[in-house]
Amino acid sequence: MTIEEAFKIIRNFLNDGIKHYEDVIKEIEEMMKDDNEKINPINVPPKDLLLEFKSREKVDKFLQGREKTKKILFDSKRKLKTIRQNREFFGKSHILKKVIDFEAFFANLNYINYILEFPFDRELIVKIIGMAIYTNNEIYDKNLKELESDLNSKHGFLRKESQLVRELKPYFNKEGKVIANSDISEFLLDLTMLFNINHDRTIKQEIPLDKQFSVSKLIELLTNKMIEANKNQIIVEEPKKVIDPVITKKERRQLVEQQRLNEQELATYFDGEKILRACDSLEDFVNLVISCNLSEENRTRIVKKMQTFLNKNDDLKKISFLTLEEQEIYKLALEKQLRNVQIKELIEEINILLEINSEEVSKEDKEYVESEVKALIERLKFILNINVLSLQNK
């Protein structure tokens, strides 16, 4: 089974869970609303309750039933939140979100696999864990402030986990495969610590013992993969230096002419100050910039401007399904997020969902993601305390 197929199965399973608990919550809230319209025990004096239910026993039964219903509602909302959080990890073929608590992430993968009657072998789960460690490090590389925040967090658990994830960075690639490395003992030690940060905690596994995939077995498989990678490592000899041949005057003229044409082509993308249009391939654009007679500083500046231009265009495409008002709220929230933790967290949730939506996902997945984004935009609108008129006059 490919990672794309596995992630699709996981997404569908979690989407079904989300729909189930949404229906349960809606049904309970409607039932409680009906009860409140008939009789509200909070506002009704005990003597009136007795008149309504005829006996003390019936009053107690009614009140106990409401407490039980409230507990079911609370548990359902908690489970819905957990499932939604887990759903945000899985894109088309890679992990989209930073994992916090690898031991719980591993346990959830095992539980999903058990409920689905084990469609995933252990090799695939090992690969997903490797991808998650790689993704965490990729997120940290892109946002060093986030790394610094986690390494200095007031929560000891997060400080330890982020440190161990950084130490494991050299050992995994984007596909979750273990990279050859001679320091096997350090690899083994870091993995053991990563999955045993909470020494006093026991994660309840509702899986028969003979079917459980233990942390110790996970670490054993990863260590074996390191040993195998080291055996298969190919030593690449440094290529011998080739002396550049002497070129003729004709060839030199051709090179100068080609450079002139390249500079003309570059001018169709960049006017010296701003990017005029998007390139089809950033790699080809980089090669074009390199081929022109520019300083290293200017090359870097132009490529960065194109990268920013492409990112901005991609961002606009990602929110094209939103109304103009919703797009304005999102853009305003982007500007305000640095000064408001609550806005920053909502933006992060929206960006993860937008990333999922940009993948080749099913119609049902798209509908789910877009409705979730719109709901989060509504929360941003409330926090920002803005109205349609203020957006139009902006």
Side-chain angles (χ1 to χ4, degrees):
M1 180 183 292
T2 66
I3 203 75
E4 288 88 351
E5 291 168 336
F7 278 13
K8 184 176 181 180
I9 290 170
I10 293 172
R11 288 197 306 271
N12 289 340
F13 171 77
L14 294 172
N15 286 343
D16 289 343
I18 288 167
K19 187 176 186 308
H20 168 74
Y21 281 107
E22 283 178 340
D23 290 343
V24 168
I25 290 166
K26 184 179 179 183
E27 185 178 342
I28 292 173
E29 286 179 339
E30 286 177 354
M31 181 179 69
M32 291 180 74
K33 183 182 176 184
D34 289 342
D35 281 348
N36 282 338
E37 289 173 356
K38 292 175 185 175
I39 183 165
N40 188 341
I42 295 172
N43 300 323
V44 178
K47 63 178 183 179
D48 291 340
L49 277 176
L50 282 170
L51 286 172
E52 179 71 27
F53 292 105
K54 311 300 182 189
S55 73
R56 180 78 250 174
E57 183 182 349
K58 287 184 178 179
V59 171
D60 291 342
K61 189 175 180 182
F62 174 78
L63 293 174
Q64 287 168 8
R66 283 187 66 84
E67 286 304 311
K68 187 177 180 182
T69 302
K70 284 179 183 178
K71 186 178 185 306
I72 294 171
L73 180 61
F74 175 80
D75 289 342
S76 296
K77 286 183 176 180
R78 179 175 54 81
K79 288 175 181 176
L80 176 60
K81 183 180 179 181
T82 300
I83 295 171
R84 278 177 169 162
Q85 288 172 341
N86 277 284
R87 172 63 182 79
E88 290 173 357
F89 286 117
F90 302 98
K92 181 187 175 186
S93 59
H94 57 280
I95 302 293
L96 296 174
K97 181 180 174 183
K98 181 178 73 179
V99 171
I100 297 175
D101 196 341
F102 272 85
E103 190 180 1
F105 180 74
F106 176 57
N108 287 334
L109 278 176
N110 285 326
Y111 183 69
I112 292 169
N113 200 27
Y114 168 66
I115 293 296
L116 293 173
E117 299 182 347
F118 302 99
F120 317 131
D121 59 26
R122 292 183 174 183
E123 292 285 319
L124 193 140
I125 292 177
V126 167
K127 194 174 184 180
I128 293 173
I129 294 296
M131 290 175 71
I133 292 172
Y134 176 90
T135 298
N136 272 32
N137 278 301
E138 189 176 39
I139 290 168
Y140 283 144
D141 287 341
K142 290 178 180 177
N143 190 344
L144 295 177
K145 285 185 179 179
E146 184 170 356
L147 171 61
E148 186 179 349
S149 174
D150 287 356
L151 290 174
N152 296 289
S153 171
K154 63 181 180 181
H155 304 292
F157 172 87
L158 186 54
R159 287 200 306 272
K160 291 176 185 176
E161 185 166 81
S162 56
Q163 178 63 46
L164 289 165
V165 164
R166 287 310 268 175
E167 289 176 7
L168 286 165
K169 180 183 177 183
Y171 301 106
F172 294 95
N173 66 12
K174 189 174 184 179
E175 287 74 37
K177 293 180 181 177
V178 179
I179 299 170
N181 195 301
S182 59
D183 204 345
I184 297 177
S185 60
E186 188 66 28
F187 178 65
L188 177 59
L189 177 63
D190 288 341
L191 280 173
T192 304
M193 291 176 68
L194 180 65
F195 288 94
N196 291 279
I197 293 175
N198 285 325
H199 302 293
D200 301 328
R201 178 182 66 171
T202 301
I203 294 179
K204 187 180 178 182
Q205 289 271 26
E206 298 176 9
I207 306 173
L209 279 173
D210 61 325
K211 294 184 178 180
Q212 285 186 18
F213 184 10
S214 66
V215 165
S216 58
K217 188 63 181 176
L218 168 72
I219 294 170
E220 180 188 332
L221 287 175
L222 282 165
T223 306
N224 288 340
K225 286 188 174 299
M226 172 67 75
I227 294 168
E228 185 182 344
N230 286 342
K231 286 180 181 176
N232 296 333
Q233 188 176 22
I234 300 170
I235 300 171
V236 181
E237 292 183 4
E238 187 177 346
K240 295 177 180 177
K241 292 182 179 179
V242 179
I243 300 171
D244 292 335
V246 178
I247 62 174
T248 64
K249 287 183 179 180
K250 181 181 178 182
E251 289 170 333
R252 190 181 297 280
R253 282 197 300 271
Q254 288 173 342
L255 287 172
V256 171
E257 176 60 17
Q258 184 59 53
Q259 183 173 297
R260 187 183 67 80
L261 292 172
N262 291 342
E263 288 172 354
Q264 283 183 345
E265 185 181 354
L266 179 60
T268 67
Y269 291 103
F270 182 69
D271 68 357
E273 290 297 328
K274 63 181 184 293
I275 297 295
L276 303 173
R277 64 187 178 98
C279 61
D280 295 326
S281 163
L282 186 62
E283 185 180 352
D284 290 344
F285 182 76
V286 170
N287 289 333
L288 174 63
V289 172
I290 291 171
S291 69
C292 297
N293 185 24
L294 298 166
S295 67
E296 186 65 35
E297 183 182 352
N298 279 333
R299 288 177 187 172
T300 304
R301 181 172 66 90
I302 294 169
V303 170
K304 281 184 177 178
K305 279 183 177 288
M306 177 59 80
Q307 182 68 70
T308 302
F309 186 84
L310 293 174
N311 289 342
K312 187 176 180 181
N313 279 3
D314 286 344
D315 290 341
L316 290 174
K317 287 177 186 175
K318 286 178 183 177
I319 61 172
S320 60
F321 66 90
L322 296 174
T323 65
L324 290 177
E325 179 194 349
E326 288 167 338
Q327 289 182 27
E328 289 300 324
I329 292 168
Y330 174 73
K331 291 174 188 175
L332 182 60
L334 286 175
E335 297 172 9
K336 304 283 187 182
Q337 64 176 319
L338 294 176
R339 298 189 294 275
N340 187 306
V341 175
Q342 194 176 4
I343 292 174
K344 183 175 183 293
E345 288 175 352
L346 287 172
I347 286 292
E348 286 174 354
E349 284 187 54
I350 289 171
N351 287 342
I352 289 167
L353 289 167
L354 291 176
E355 187 65 32
I356 294 171
N357 208 37
S358 67
E359 305 276 359
E360 293 177 16
V361 294
S362 66
K363 182 182 177 183
E364 291 77 14
D365 276 352
K366 271 194 170 297
E367 288 174 354
Y368 158 74
V369 168
E370 291 178 5
S371 66
E372 286 293 301
V373 170
K374 285 176 175 288
L376 291 169
I377 293 287
E378 274 300 308
R379 288 172 63 187
L380 282 174
K381 181 180 177 181
F382 176 77
I383 294 167
L384 291 165
N385 192 25
I386 54 179
N387 55 49
V388 180
L389 187 60
S390 68
L391 288 170
Q392 289 172 344
N393 295 332
K394 189 182 171 186

